[in-house]
């Protein structure tokens, strides 16, 4: 009897010990799994953070800057720069039309329709040919926009701020004009506005091209400078009249150069243009205008242009000072269109 009682007690004790062992094993296993899961999650999070940070930095860099290819090289430009200085009046014309603020401009010989930039609100950064490097350095610009007259000073200006060349290429006027607009649109987030303005310009050019098909004879473009004149033809500084607007040239062989081909009034009489376009340089640079008195002489009176009242004095501000701007190109189209009425 006593022996049976002892066996029963031992059996109960063995069952209790077995149960405790199983419980401890389960707790240890669960603890190990939690540790492993925690380590795995931390590892995944570390990898995720590393990959995520790397991607975000790259995206931010590409979103915050624009790589601009221009005539003088490549320049990485900050998007929506806060401090902009401008030497090219055509670019200033476009920025003004798009409502983009600038800090400094070359105020000498400013076109009258941009005369608000002559005020003290804007820094004077020198003349088109002689930049004020000290003034520009004090402004500390985010962006400097130049064109042909400042091209030789590109390296020096680039030390003072990101510098891009946005002059118009006379050999491919409209292509370079569109490229410049695209650059400005991308830098300042104005792509939609640029696209809309450009669509209007192209529509006006199409209408002008149709009118130009009815011209009899040909046109001649001359620049009047005091008592001298120079002629311009296709692919020249004012060649947009022929190359883009479709006005036939009376002389296809005029030498293309910045200052035009020196000619005499005998040449004008011999060519006998049906339309004579005149740009008065003296008026453009603020001197007394005398183009009409110089041009309408006895020799020119023998031309069809004079007889048919087709001597057209173009606005020198748009043509000589600020070509390549949204406003100036629109006005240039309008002037040539009116000359055909």
């Amino acid at each position: 009897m006593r022996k049976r009682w002892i066996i029963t007690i031992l059996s109960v004790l063995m069952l209790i010990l077995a149960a405790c062992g199983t419980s401890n094993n389960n707790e240890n296993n669960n603890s190990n799994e939690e540790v492993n899961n925690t380590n795995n999650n931390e590892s995944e999070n570390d990898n995720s953070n590393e990959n995520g940070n790397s991607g975000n930095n790259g995206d931010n860099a590409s979103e915050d800057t624009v790589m601009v290819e221009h005539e003088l090289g490549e320049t990485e430009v900050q998007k929506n720069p806060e401090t902009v200085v401008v030497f090219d009046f055509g670019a200033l014309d476009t920025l003004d039309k798009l409502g983009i603020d600038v800090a400094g401009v070359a105020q000498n010989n400013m076109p009258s329709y941009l005369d608000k930039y002559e005020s003290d609100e804007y820094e004077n950064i020198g003349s088109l040919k002689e930049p004020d490097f000290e003034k520009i350095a004090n402004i500390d610009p985010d962006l400097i926009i130049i064109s042909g007259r400042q091209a030789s000073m590109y390296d020096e200006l680039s030390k003072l701020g990101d510098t891009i060349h946005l002059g118009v290429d006379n050999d491919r006027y409209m292509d370079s004009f569109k490229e410049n607009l695209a650059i400005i649109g991308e830098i300042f987030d104005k792509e939609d506005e640029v696209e809309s303005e450009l669509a209007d310009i192209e529509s006006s050019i199409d209408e002008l091209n149709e009118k130009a098909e009815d011209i009899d004879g040909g046109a001649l473009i001359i620049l009047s400078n005091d008592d001298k004149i120079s002629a311009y033809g296709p692919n020249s500084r004012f060649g947009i009249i022929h190359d883009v607007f479709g006005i036939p040239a009376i002389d296809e062989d005029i030498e293309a150069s910045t200052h035009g081909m020196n000619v005499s009034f005998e040449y004008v009489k011999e060519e006998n243009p049906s339309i004579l376009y005149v740009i008065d340089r003296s008026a453009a640079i603020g001197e007394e205008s005398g183009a009409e008195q110089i041009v309408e002489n006895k020799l020119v009176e023998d031309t069809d242009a004079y007889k048919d009242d087709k001597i057209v004095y173009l606005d020198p501000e748009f043509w000589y000072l600020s070509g390549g701007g949204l406003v100036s190109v629109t006005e240039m189209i309008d002037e040539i269109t009116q000359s055909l009425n």
Side-chain angles (χ1 to χ4, degrees), residues 191-337:
E191 289 95 338
D192 291 342
E193 292 89 336
V194 165
E195 184 177 351
S196 176
E197 294 287 345
L198 190 55
D200 291 341
I201 287 174
E202 290 181 323
S203 177
S204 297
I205 290 175
D206 289 340
E207 294 176 7
L208 176 52
N209 289 159
E210 290 183 12
K211 283 191 171 187
E213 292 176 358
D214 298 328
I215 295 177
D216 292 327
L220 177 65
I221 309 164
I222 61 172
L223 179 72
S224 172
N225 184 19
D226 294 331
D227 60 346
K228 300 180 179 63
I229 59 172
S230 53
Y232 293 80
N235 300 317
S236 71
R237 182 175 185 177
F238 310 118
I240 186 176
I241 292 175
H242 305 305
D243 306 326
V244 179
F245 300 162
I247 308 298
I250 196 69
D251 183 359
E252 295 280 354
D253 298 322
I254 295 175
E255 178 186 351
S257 68
T258 301
H259 301 292
M261 183 176 75
N262 291 329
V263 296
S264 65
F265 286 109
E266 285 81 4
Y267 165 84
V268 177
K269 177 182 177 181
E270 291 171 3
E271 293 297 332
N272 190 26
S274 57
I275 306 174
L276 180 61
Y277 293 112
V278 181
I279 299 165
D280 187 347
R281 180 184 179 277
S282 297
I285 61 175
E287 297 179 358
E288 185 177 353
S289 174
E292 185 173 349
Q293 291 79 3
I294 295 169
V295 170
E296 297 185 27
N297 55 49
K298 293 296 183 181
L299 292 169
V300 175
E301 287 177 2
D302 286 336
T303 64
D304 291 339
Y306 181 87
K307 295 173 185 177
D308 296 335
D309 196 23
K310 286 294 184 179
I311 297 179
V312 181
Y313 295 90
L314 300 174
D315 190 321
E317 291 190 331
F318 299 128
W319 292 88
Y320 191 82
L321 294 179
S322 63
L326 277 173
V327 174
S328 63
V329 169
T330 299
E331 292 296 329
M332 289 157 71
I333 296 168
D334 288 345
E335 282 197 315
I336 302 303
T337 300

Side-chain angles (χ1 to χ4, degrees), residues 87-106:
F87 282 97
D88 183 79
F89 291 146
L92 180 62
D93 165 320
T94 294
L95 295 174
D96 184 70
K97 178 68 174 177
L98 295 174
I100 298 168
D101 292 330
V102 303
V105 296

